[in-house]
């Protein structure tokens, strides 16, 4: 126990907002589960964080919010050779300026290369001598390899006409030089291959399924609240286009550190999270925004994680949406991630799909896509909640009010004592923690009266039962 008059306790009390000084523990009753809840005052704008004044420990992202992988690769042996062996994929993945540069150079260099070959053919045949130039050819009876070739410029123009089959008619090959006929055939084949290769790269780059992900949305925050009596981690996905994603499926993976039984530290251990939406599995009928739900049960890696632990844990949840684009038939994949600073405990997404009677259709208001509302949510972990309720599944929900309040009014009920112990113990651990980032609570939350009341009631109940037996 802290001394309420000590300087440390007074300093901690000053750091807490006024609204939190009014927060009290809520015992178990017919309407609320035991725990600590948000202040309900409306005088000031509340923070979206699930605890006021709480600083979070952020984690370096593996997947950025826009879906890009934050991975830097270094010290690759024979890196350039490996990438050049897969030139097509390298140019498709490259930035547009490099792709366009290669596109331009491929044509210019091929024109210049074959122009040099045509100049060498004309030079070795003697077509570039003064007596054999085009004005003198008819009087001298000279037959060149290519008509109307004066210099290298003429060879360059003839190279462009040959490669692209322009055929202006002024320059043509003759049967005088077999090598010229062979080079003409070779350049025509090479020109077609270059055009097919470069046009294919530009087309593949423009029609990449990656661009379709720009109209697939993930909510900026994930929320944790109760759904059907269970703590659930939820996030929202949406599609802005009218053309749908066929066979859409959503996966989620948890990335965090893990130590094996042998002591090996796995710094980026991946765990698959089970997802469902509206009573279905992760395969979606994706016609409007859908909230994906991960139930925090005994099979979940978050089973023992409480709201206070989220402030201390370092993990990242990677979410992946995959499906086939209806208009192109290509498979696309959209990615995003959530770190601990983007998980809001005690929030719920607001509905955004309504029926518009005027337009005779369902209307999706995307201005509410990121909007959440605060709801009463226990701050303890799902494991502690299960231990508290046991098999009483009908009492798990916050809004459950069908149990008579007289059950909780009995002074000898062990449920009340367990409620006090659970709440006080959770708050005491959060207040006495030496880890940075946890908010400190004033010591009067854990006064001796609150703890002794539970122990005295429990001791009196034990004495009563002993007297009855005797």
């Amino acid at each position: 126990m802290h001394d309420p008059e000590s300087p440390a306790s007074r300093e901690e009390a000053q750091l807490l907002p006024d609204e939190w000084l009014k927060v009290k523990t809520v015992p178990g009753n017919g309407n609320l589960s035991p725990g600590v809840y948000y202040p309900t005052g409306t005088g000031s704008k509340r923070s979206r964080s699930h605890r006021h004044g709480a600083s979070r420990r952020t984690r370096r992202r593996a997947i950025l919010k826009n879906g890009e992988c934050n991975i830097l690769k270094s010290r690759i042996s024979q890196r350039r050779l490996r990438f050049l062996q897969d030139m097509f994929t390298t140019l498709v993945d490259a930035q547009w300026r490099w792709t366009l540069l290669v596109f331009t150079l491929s044509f210019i260099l091929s024109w210049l290369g074959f122009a040099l070959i045509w100049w060498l053919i004309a030079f070795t045949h003697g077509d570039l001598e003064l007596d054999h130039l085009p004005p003198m050819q008819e009087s001298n009876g000279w037959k060149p390899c290519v008509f109307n070739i004066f210099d290298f410029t003429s060879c360059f123009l003839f190279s462009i006409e040959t490669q692209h089959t322009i055929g202006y008619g002024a320059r043509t090959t003759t049967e005088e030089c077999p090598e010229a006929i062979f080079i003409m055939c070779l350049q025509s084949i090479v020109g077609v291959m270059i055009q097919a290769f470069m046009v294919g790269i530009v087309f593949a780059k423009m029609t990449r399924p990656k661009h379709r992900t720009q109209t697939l949305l993930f909510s900026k925050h994930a929320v944790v609240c109760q759904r059907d009596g269970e703590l659930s981690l939820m996030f929202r996905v949406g599609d802005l286009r009218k053309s749908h994603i066929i066979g859409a499926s959503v996966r989620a993976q948890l990335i965090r550190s893990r130590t094996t039984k042998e002591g090996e530290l796995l710094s980026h251990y991946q765990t698959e999270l089970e997802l469902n939406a509206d009573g279905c599995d992760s395969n979606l009928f994706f016609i409007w925004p859908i909230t994906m739900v991960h139930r925090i049960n005994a099979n979940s890696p978050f089973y023992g994680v409480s709201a206070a632990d989220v402030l201390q844990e370092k993990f990242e949840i990677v979410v992946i949406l995959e499906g086939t684009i209806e208009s192109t038939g290509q498979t696309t994949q959209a990615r995003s991630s959530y770190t601990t600073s983007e998980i809001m405990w005690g929030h719920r997404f607001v509905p955004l799909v309504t029926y518009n009677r005027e337009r005779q259709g369902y209307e999706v208001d995307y201005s509410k896509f990121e909007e959440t509302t605060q709801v009463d949510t226990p701050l303890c972990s799902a494991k502690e909640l299960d231990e508290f309720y046991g098999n009483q599944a009908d009492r798990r929900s916050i809004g459950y009010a069908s149990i008579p309040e007289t059950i909780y009014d009995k002074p000898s009920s062990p449920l009340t004592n367990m409620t006090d112990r659970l709440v006080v113990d959770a708050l005491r651990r959060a207040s006495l923690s030496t880890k940075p980032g946890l908010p400190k609570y004033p010591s009067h939350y854990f006064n001796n009266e609150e703890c002794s009341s539970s122990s005295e009631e429990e001791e009196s109940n034990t004495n009563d039962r002993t007297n009855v037996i005797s």
Side-chain angles (χ1 to χ4, degrees):
M1 291 293 177
H2 291 296
D3 184 7
E5 300 299 330
S6 63
S9 298
R10 288 197 298 268
E11 182 180 357
E12 291 172 357
Q14 293 176 358
L15 294 176
L16 288 174
D18 295 336
E19 292 179 330
W20 277 94
L21 294 177
K22 304 175 184 178
V23 178
K24 297 296 182 182
T25 58
V26 180
N29 54 52
N31 297 324
L32 294 176
S33 295
V36 177
Y37 298 91
Y38 292 93
T40 56
T42 57
S44 61
K45 184 176 179 181
R46 294 188 294 250
S47 172
R48 294 174 65 91
S49 176
H50 70 278
R51 283 191 178 182
H52 291 267
S55 61
R56 293 175 177 266
R57 298 174 63 182
T58 58
R59 177 186 172 89
R60 302 179 182 91
R61 289 184 180 277
I63 303 296
L64 303 179
K65 295 298 287 185
N66 60 0
E68 296 290 338
C69 296
N70 190 23
I71 307 298
L72 304 177
K73 300 179 181 179
S74 61
R75 299 180 181 179
I76 303 176
S77 61
Q78 299 181 349
R79 180 176 182 272
R80 294 184 179 180
L81 178 61
R82 295 175 185 271
F83 279 78
L84 288 177
Q85 288 176 348
D86 188 12
M87 178 63 71
F88 186 86
T89 305
T90 301
L91 292 178
V92 171
D93 292 338
Q95 296 180 352
W96 270 107
R97 58 175 176 266
W98 299 112
T99 303
L100 294 178
L101 177 62
V102 173
F103 181 87
T104 304
L105 289 178
S106 64
F107 287 103
I108 293 179
L109 293 179
S110 64
W111 296 337
L112 290 174
F114 280 100
L116 179 60
I117 295 176
W118 288 114
W119 183 85
L120 291 176
I121 292 175
F123 179 79
T124 55
H125 190 257
D127 297 339
L128 300 181
E129 297 179 4
L130 293 178
D131 297 338
H132 299 161
L133 290 178
M136 308 295 295
Q137 289 175 358
E138 186 175 356
S139 60
N140 295 335
W142 180 262
K143 191 174 184 180
C145 295
V146 181
F147 287 123
N148 292 323
I149 293 295
F150 292 88
D151 48 18
F152 183 79
T153 303
S154 301
C155 295
F156 181 77
L157 293 175
F158 180 71
S159 175
I160 297 176
E161 295 177 19
T162 303
Q163 184 165 327
H164 297 283
T165 63
I166 297 175
Y168 290 117
R171 300 179 182 87
T172 58
T173 56
T174 64
E175 64 278 3
E176 182 69 18
C177 302
E179 62 273 16
I181 299 175
F182 174 76
I183 293 300
M184 181 183 66
C185 298
L186 179 62
Q187 186 174 5
S188 299
I189 297 174
V190 172
V192 171
M193 294 179 62
I194 293 176
Q195 288 183 359
F197 185 76
M198 297 311 302
V199 170
I201 290 175
V202 174
F203 180 78
K205 195 173 182 64
M206 294 180 63
T207 59
R208 281 190 301 176
K210 183 179 180 180
H211 298 299
R212 180 63 172 88
T213 61
Q214 302 300 320
T215 52
L216 296 174
L217 301 181
F218 291 93
S219 57
K220 294 181 180 179
H221 297 85
V223 299
V224 176
C225 65
Q226 280 188 309
R227 174 171 285 192
D228 294 332
E230 289 184 323
L231 286 177
S232 300
L233 173 71
M234 294 179 283
F235 60 92
R236 181 174 277 174
V237 294
D239 187 5
L240 299 179
R241 287 193 178 274
K242 202 170 184 179
S243 58
H244 305 302
I245 299 295
I246 302 174
S249 62
V250 180
R251 299 186 293 114
Q253 288 187 341
L254 172 66
I255 302 177
R256 65 176 178 180
S257 301
R258 174 180 175 268
T259 303
T260 63
K261 296 180 180 179
E262 296 78 15
E264 180 185 2
L265 177 61
L266 306 177
S267 58
H268 302 93
Y269 187 78
Q270 299 184 18
T271 305
E272 192 78 17
L273 300 180
E274 295 183 3
L275 296 179
N276 62 76
D278 300 334
C280 304
D281 57 9
S282 57
N283 295 320
L284 310 179
F285 181 49
F286 202 21
I287 58 176
W288 49 44
I290 294 179
T291 300
M292 303 302 301
V293 180
H294 168 67
R295 297 189 180 276
I296 305 178
N297 50 31
N299 298 324
S300 171
F302 298 114
Y303 188 55
V305 177
S306 64
D309 295 331
V310 173
L311 297 173
Q312 301 299 312
E313 292 282 348
K314 295 192 300 181
F315 60 83
E316 180 179 0
I317 301 174
V318 178
V319 292
I320 305 169
L321 171 62
E322 296 176 325
T324 303
I325 304 174
E326 185 180 31
S327 55
T328 63
Q330 294 177 310
T331 302
T332 185
Q333 182 184 89
R335 299 179 295 265
S336 186
S337 68
Y338 301 100
T339 58
T340 54
S341 61
E342 295 164 345
I343 298 177
M344 300 191 299
W345 195 288
H347 283 252
R348 178 187 298 158
F349 289 109
V350 300
L352 72 166
V353 180
T354 56
Y355 186 78
N356 192 323
R357 295 183 179 272
E358 296 180 358
R359 302 173 63 181
Q360 296 295 311
Y362 287 93
E363 182 177 2
V364 181
D365 186 2
Y366 275 97
S367 63
K368 299 180 180 179
F369 186 80
E370 306 287 350
E371 188 174 346
T372 62
T373 180
Q374 287 186 355
V375 293
D376 292 331
T377 304
L379 298 181
C380 60
S381 65
K383 181 178 181 181
E384 293 174 336
L385 205 61
D386 287 346
E387 292 175 353
F388 172 75
Y389 284 110
N391 296 326
Q392 305 177 39
D394 54 347
R395 300 182 185 176
R396 298 178 60 89
S397 180
I398 288 285
Y400 183 80
S402 62
I403 300 178
E405 296 184 0
T406 57
I407 296 178
Y408 303 95
D409 293 337
K410 294 180 181 181
S412 61
S413 174
L415 184 61
T416 305
N417 302 333
M418 189 179 297
T419 299
D420 296 338
R421 292 198 304 272
L422 179 62
V423 174
V424 172
D425 183 65
L427 289 178
R428 184 187 293 108
R429 291 200 308 269
S431 178
L432 298 180
S433 175
T434 58
K435 295 180 180 181
L438 277 176
K440 300 296 184 180
Y441 292 87
S443 59
H444 65 267
Y445 281 104
F446 316 111
N447 52 47
N448 295 327
E449 298 177 359
E450 188 175 12
C451 299
S452 61
S453 61
S454 300
S455 59
E456 290 175 359
E457 290 179 6
E458 186 175 5
E459 183 178 358
S460 62
N461 294 338
T462 304
N463 295 334
D464 294 341
R465 289 192 298 268
T466 304
N467 296 332
V468 172
I469 294 173
S470 60

